[in-house]
Each structure stands twice: as structure tokens, then as C-alpha cells.
Amino acid sequence: MELPFDPDDMIARLRPWIETESPTFDAAALARMVDVAAYDCAAAGASLEVIPGRMGCGPSLRVKFPHPEQGKPGILVSGHLDTVHPVGTLASNPFRREDGKVYGPGIQDMKGGNFVALEAMRQIMRAGLRTPLPVTFLLTPDEEIGTPATRDLIEQEARLNKYVVVPEPALADGSCVIGRYAIARFNLETRGVPSHAGWRLKEGRSAIAMMARKVAEIEAMTTDDCTFSVGVIHAGQWVNCVSSSCLAEVLSMAKTDEDLEKGVAAMLGLSGTENDVKLIVTRGVTRPVWKPGQPQDMALYDIAASIADRVGFTLGHKPSGGGSDGNFTGALGIPTIDSTGVRGEGLHTLNEHIFEDSLIERARLHAGLFMELT
């Protein structure tokens, strides 16, 4: 039976998800987003559990749809509700529908994907159908910072299930992701010697100057197999003071575990003291390599590709350098398919939007997965 997905209705009900801004670093905003998602999940017929946040992050939401074999290994939909957009971004990229596109912060990464997967289950429930396997959603608050607070929650939920579907945004050509490279984060601190920048400049040793030199050195370490990028720097409070402290964060991507460990060793090896300024490098959160082409993942992809053919589009697959929570479940060996979500452009920018026609396309794909996976 073909489920009656209505694009106008879907866009209207997606709007509160987008207009409830939920940046990772705002736990209260994430709690408001959990309330919005929880209501829609309950209205779709699911039972809910709000899991308290920790490490300064917001809460998570676990959603279970009724099933006579509840507790049997089934399908886990793993998504995140946090975005990279600060509260107030709606002023620059308001929710709007223009020329076949729908705009708004976080709509592509990944509220749109979460929503279409939920809409698939909503329509299945309304039609009185029953999925062969139980379906659980786990929506978390910290993916955009590497999932430091909920990794063990995701991994444990995945172990209780047979398949994992991650509705991150589809790749540019519409492909899903089977396999992701490792992602490592590093925290850097330089400690200098303070002095008055006008009166006793020569007595100081600038932590900012040292960090600036190290930024160029670190990014020059990039190769085709292991990349390094400095994305955050915090330092200074008074311009008339030689800086005594500077903090930075580095992201590294590696294609294999071996490449990752070489990159980690190179980064940690930078620690030391130069010209009385100390550099301290510590390792942050890490996403493991999810090796592409594993038989269990390819078998799941084959089912998804067959469903896509019947829906009316071709679903390719590729490995991806961007990390996601699929790294964790795929690395565990649990059959995982990632980036099954909506198509769009401009993620993480003030032009973030999705293509309107991908809402029904991807809702039908998820409905097919929920109804055909056994």
C-alpha cells in the first residue's frame, strides 16, 4: 500500500522543529527541542523516555513504537537534535519555502532527516500496519561536538538492535554513506609570560604568537590520508597585555586506524616549550573508522537500493570523510546505513536548505526500510 504523504502538511509540521533553535552548547535550547520532538513522537503513537543530559549537554529522547515483540532486536534510528547554529540564526536564515527549497538552520543537518523518518512511522501507524521488527528512535544532543556525552548510550542501544539507520543528510548526488573515516579532536593550550604590551613588551612571551605559528605548522601536516584543521581559537582580553594563555581546537580526519594513530602521535608530539612558551596538546573525543564495504552493511544497502528503485530514484553509496554517530555503530559491526536523510545544500552555513521533493522521497525510503527489514 502507498502511504499518503502530504508535502504541504509535512512542511507545516516540520516548521516548529526548525524554529526551535538548538545549538549544541545550549542545554536549555536542546531541552526545548526535545519537547517539540517528543510531542510529535507521542502524537505518532510512540512511548517516550527523556534521558537527562550530562557533561553540560542537553537531554536525549528515546522513542519506541508499539510492537508485539517489543524487546526483540529491531531497527534503531539514530539521530541528533543539536545544530551548529547559535540561537538567533533564524534572523539570518528564517524558515521559508521558496522555489522548491525549504530553508532554516539545521533543516538539512539533520532535523529534516529525523522528521521524515518519524513521518514514515507516523503514516505506518495511521494505516494500521505493523513493522516486522520493533522500531526505536534515539535522538541525542551532542553529535556536532563529537558525541562526548552520549556515545555509550548510542552504542548500547545499537547492541540491542539488529539494524541501524542514520538519517543524516544525503550526499550531494543523493547517495547514502556506507563507511566513514576516523575523526579525532585535539585541545591545545599555549602558556606564555604576561607583561604590559606598551611599557614592558620585551619582558613578555606571547601565547597568541606561539599559537599562530603552531596553526600554520599543524595545518601543513595535512596529507591525502590524514588531514588537520584548526577550527577554534580563544585568547586575549586586554590589548595592552601580552597574552599569557591561548586555547585552540584541532580536527583531524584519517582514512584508516593506522593513519589516525600516526596523526595522534604527531599531534601529541608537538607538546613542549619554545622561547619560554609552553604548548600542551591533549587528545579529545575520537570517532573510530567505520570500514566501507563490510558485508553486513552492503546487505542492508542492497535492500535500501531496491526500495529506492521502487520509490523512483537511484540510491548510490560512498564512504565519507565527515564523521557521524554511524561511525560508532558501523565500527561495532552492527549493520548500518547512514545519510538516508533529505537532500539539500549549504549545511552548516546561513544558506542551509533542503529540496522540497526529497521529503516524500526519503519518507518513502524509510517507510520501506521499516516495513521490509526482517
Side-chain angles (χ1 to χ4, degrees):
M1 124 175 231
E2 186 167 303
L3 298 172
F5 294 108
D6 180 337
D8 294 331
D9 179 64
M10 289 174 69
I11 291 170
R13 288 186 298 104
L14 174 60
R15 182 170 189 161
W17 288 57
I18 308 310
E19 294 190 331
T20 304
E21 297 176 282
S22 52
T24 315
F25 294 110
D26 191 331
L30 262 300
R32 293 191 293 270
M33 184 63 232
V34 163
D35 286 346
V36 171
Y39 181 89
D40 281 353
C41 291
S47 60
L48 314 172
E49 179 185 2
V50 176
I51 302 166
R54 66 188 189 108
M55 298 171 62
C57 295
S60 298
L61 180 64
R62 180 157 43 207
V63 178
K64 290 186 178 291
F65 285 88
H67 195 278
E69 297 181 287
Q70 194 64 258
K72 173 183 176 181
I75 302 168
L76 173 64
V77 179
S78 178
H80 65 88
L81 295 174
D82 61 317
T83 79
V84 300
H85 304 285
V87 171
T89 303
L90 278 168
S92 301
N93 188 21
F95 182 90
R96 63 199 187 279
R97 184 180 183 184
E98 297 176 352
D99 301 323
K101 302 173 183 178
V102 187
Y103 291 78
I107 194 168
Q108 185 187 10
D109 188 11
M110 64 176 289
K111 292 182 180 181
N114 292 330
F115 181 84
V116 295
L118 175 60
E119 177 66 8
M121 280 306 302
R122 175 177 177 267
Q123 291 294 346
I124 287 169
M125 296 288 290
R126 286 168 69 91
L129 302 174
R130 190 174 80 193
T131 58
L133 297 174
V135 177
T136 299
F137 282 58
L138 182 63
L139 304 175
T140 53
D142 59 336
E143 191 273 347
E144 295 292 1
I145 58 170
T147 320
T150 61
R151 174 178 178 173
D152 53 352
L153 181 66
I154 293 166
E155 290 181 336
Q156 178 59 22
E157 198 66 45
R159 289 185 177 100
L160 298 175
N161 284 279
K162 191 173 181 180
Y163 304 101
V164 178
V165 177
V166 185
E168 288 275 5
L171 298 182
D173 63 357
S175 293
C176 67
V177 167
I178 303 293
R180 287 188 181 271
Y181 304 147
I183 301 290
R185 296 173 186 240
F186 300 90
N187 299 308
L188 278 62
E189 180 182 4
T190 50
R191 296 178 182 173
V193 179
S195 70
H196 191 290
W199 186 29
R200 296 185 179 275
L201 178 62
K202 291 183 178 180
E203 294 180 6
R205 299 291 183 270
S206 171
I208 291 175
M210 170 73 149
M211 187 67 78
R213 291 193 295 271
K214 290 300 175 181
V215 167
E217 181 180 336
I218 288 167
E219 295 198 339
M221 291 162 50
T222 292
T223 67
D224 289 340
D225 298 318
C226 189
T227 64
F228 299 89
S229 174
V230 180
V232 176
I233 294 180
H234 297 289
Q237 194 168 11
W238 295 279
V239 73
N240 60 347
C241 294
V242 173
S243 59
S244 59
S245 177
C246 182
L247 304 175
E249 296 179 38
V250 176
L251 185 75
S252 178
M253 182 279 295
K255 293 182 178 179
T256 67
D257 288 318
E258 294 76 16
D259 292 331
L260 177 69
E261 291 310 314
K262 290 178 183 177
V264 168
M267 281 297 303
L268 296 180
L270 294 175
S271 293
T273 301
E274 298 177 14
N275 193 30
D276 298 326
V277 181
K278 180 180 289 187
L279 171 63
I280 302 167
V281 181
T282 56
R283 184 173 178 175
V285 294
T286 301
R287 295 188 187 278
V289 170
W290 168 23
K291 295 180 180 178
Q294 297 298 300
Q296 69 274 10
D297 302 321
M298 294 309 299
L300 176 53
Y301 161 74
D302 288 341
I303 295 170
S306 175
I307 294 167
D309 284 342
R310 281 175 271 140
V311 168
F313 72 99
T314 299
L315 181 67
H317 72 88
K318 295 178 182 177
S320 176
S324 86
D325 292 332
N327 282 73
F328 303 136
T329 63
L332 288 173
I334 300 163
T336 298
I337 185 169
D338 200 339
S339 293
T340 56
V342 288
R343 294 178 286 106
E345 293 176 337
L347 77 165
H348 292 199
T349 75
L350 295 178
N351 189 45
E352 185 166 344
H353 62 270
I354 62 172
F355 301 128
E356 183 179 319
D357 62 357
S358 72
L359 287 167
I360 290 182
E361 172 191 288
R362 297 298 163 140
R364 287 175 175 162
L365 172 64
H366 286 89
L369 288 168
F370 299 151
M371 291 302 299
E372 294 187 26
L373 290 177
T374 59

